[in-house]
Amino acid sequence: MVAYVIIPGIDGSDERHWQSRWEEQWGASAVRTAPASWSEPDLGDWVAAVEAAYETAARRDSRVVLVAHSLGCWAAAQWLDGWAGPVTGPVAAFLVAPPDPAGPGFPREAAATFLGLTARPLPCPSLLVASDDDPYCDPATAVSFGHGWQAEMHLVESHGHINSGSGLGDWPAGRELLRGLVDRGHRNSLGSGGPVA
């Protein structure tokens, strides 16, 4: 079994969003972040919300996977940046459609504390999924984030911001990508000589 931390983007994920559908299917194995600043995101608040959700998830299973969308990717990455090491941390991070903080579509006023963030290497296996027509991040920039995070990169065609408006339903292709990432993270944890994270 695996516990999942669901990290939505600005204003959260509605009931049609793949994150919400997965969360419903996972039941007690999923914990959603609950920042106080959904509409005007404060980075410190969002990172603290990831920490709180992770602590809850880790009590349910020793193998925890972060499942982040949009601005939630940056909150996840910032939280991971402060993590002590890969052995005791999350098994994997699934990062979908991170927006470009320097891009023209970024909500600069509402999410001012996210400006200036850079992608630094993550301490666990990670996969970045981006679309070639995301209005909040062009493909080349998404690839640069993948390099910075040292994440595997998976570019999809014509999925927009990979959200409710993309009409993905349960997004079975995304579930397959996540399953492969979790399996790789589990093998890496076993191969490290330390406990399974």
Side-chain angles (χ1 to χ4, degrees):
M1 295 293 292
V2 174
Y4 299 92
V5 174
I6 307 290
I7 311 170
I10 193 167
D11 287 327
S13 297
D14 63 30
E15 67 279 357
R16 295 183 300 111
H17 198 288
W18 56 267
Q19 277 186 317
S20 298
R21 290 170 179 254
W22 292 5
E23 181 182 6
E24 183 177 0
Q25 293 165 14
W26 287 330
S29 296
V31 181
R32 180 181 288 238
T33 55
S37 56
W38 274 125
S39 297
E40 295 186 359
D42 174 78
L43 180 59
D45 176 40
W46 280 43
V47 170
V50 174
E51 170 70 19
Y54 176 81
E55 289 178 355
T56 299
R59 289 193 292 269
R60 299 179 183 179
D61 197 288
S62 60
R63 301 176 63 217
V64 179
V65 176
L66 308 183
V67 179
H69 176 255
S70 192
L71 202 63
C73 296
W74 288 106
Q78 286 299 109
W79 179 74
L80 283 166
D81 192 50
W83 192 260
V87 173
T88 56
V91 170
F94 187 67
L95 309 171
V96 180
D100 178 7
F106 193 80
R108 303 181 71 83
E109 291 186 16
T113 56
F114 285 75
L115 297 175
L117 293 179
T118 57
R120 295 192 289 265
L122 300 178
C124 63
S126 53
L127 173 64
L128 192 164
V129 183
S131 177
D132 63 359
D133 62 346
D134 189 335
Y136 299 105
C137 187
D138 64 73
T141 301
V143 169
S144 75
F145 293 156
H147 286 310
W149 283 325
Q150 293 184 358
E152 293 183 54
M153 185 75 200
H154 186 83
L155 192 66
V156 297
E157 293 182 359
S158 306
H159 278 47
H161 195 45
I162 316 182
N163 56 7
S164 300
S166 301
L168 299 173
D170 289 341
W171 194 28
R175 286 291 291 270
E176 284 299 313
L177 291 169
L178 175 62
R179 188 172 297 113
L181 174 65
V182 171
D183 288 345
R184 289 190 296 278
H186 179 56
R187 288 195 300 270
N188 285 353
S189 295
L190 291 175
S192 69
V196 177

